[in-house]
Amino acid sequence: MSQIKYIFLALFSLGLVIIAVILQQVGYQGISFLPCPLCILQRIGYLGIAIFCFLAASFNPLRKLFHAMAALSAAYGLSVAGRQVWLLSHPETSCGIDPLEIWINQFQLVQGLPWLFKADGICSAKLPAILGLQLPEWSLLWFTFFLLVLAVTFFKKLPK
């Protein structure tokens, strides 16, 4: 995959995190989208994709390694988003405050960047749909996109 494609994937992934932060801070249809623990873990997946794609674009000798790490970040995010979509369709399995929230909110990174990493929401909360899909469903869709692109392009010959 070319350097410009890695940069595009990285910027697109960062753009999705920015959209999530905007929905958290500004809201949609008058409702603030407070991130739950699974939302925060998905943000980490998107940031992983972005970081590893930027590294793949920057360091040609280690491009395959960073490409694989970006694909693993996408697979990780896909599994977390899949779990949250499952929780949305089975709200009775949620007990309200997730113990994962307490664990996530104790990290130093959360203390330094609470607007990005602090978990305040409930994972099974039904929020307004955006273009017909809940936010975790959109996330599942985008992680699938990233994983497919990264998996298909992994075995292609590197450009010189």
Side-chain angles (χ1 to χ4, degrees):
M1 192 157 57
S2 69
Q3 191 175 25
I4 193 74
K5 290 177 184 172
Y6 282 116
I7 292 171
F8 172 78
L9 286 177
L11 291 175
F12 189 70
S13 184
L14 284 177
L16 292 172
V17 174
I18 290 168
I19 289 170
V21 171
I22 290 170
L23 287 172
Q24 172 187 338
Q25 299 297 326
V26 177
Y28 175 71
Q29 293 183 349
I31 296 174
S32 183
F33 282 52
L34 296 176
C36 71
L38 295 178
C39 297
I40 298 300
L41 294 176
Q42 289 171 63
R43 287 181 188 185
I44 292 169
Y46 285 122
L47 292 172
I49 292 168
I51 290 167
F52 290 122
C53 283
F54 276 132
L55 290 171
S58 302
F59 299 105
N60 199 21
L62 297 173
R63 185 168 284 174
K64 282 289 189 186
L65 172 67
F66 293 132
H67 187 115
M69 295 303 291
L72 284 174
S73 295
Y76 157 79
L78 182 68
S79 67
V80 174
R83 171 70 176 155
Q84 190 170 6
V85 168
W86 185 85
L87 278 174
L88 285 176
S89 61
H90 299 87
E92 67 278 358
T93 60
S94 179
C95 60
I97 294 182
D98 194 328
L100 190 58
E101 179 179 327
I102 297 164
W103 181 73
I104 287 174
N105 288 339
Q106 290 179 358
F107 284 108
Q108 189 65 33
L109 189 59
V110 174
Q111 306 305 316
L113 298 169
W115 56 271
L116 183 59
F117 292 115
K118 186 167 189 217
D120 287 329
I122 297 173
C123 293
S124 61
K126 289 263 189 179
L127 296 169
I130 300 171
L131 298 176
L133 294 177
Q134 294 284 315
L135 209 53
E137 295 168 329
W138 278 111
S139 192
L140 186 71
L141 178 78
W142 289 120
F143 277 122
T144 302
F145 164 77
F146 283 118
L147 185 58
L148 285 174
V149 167
L150 290 164
V152 167
T153 59
F154 183 76
F155 295 105
K156 290 193 175 187
K157 189 169 169 82
L158 288 173
K160 298 286 181 188

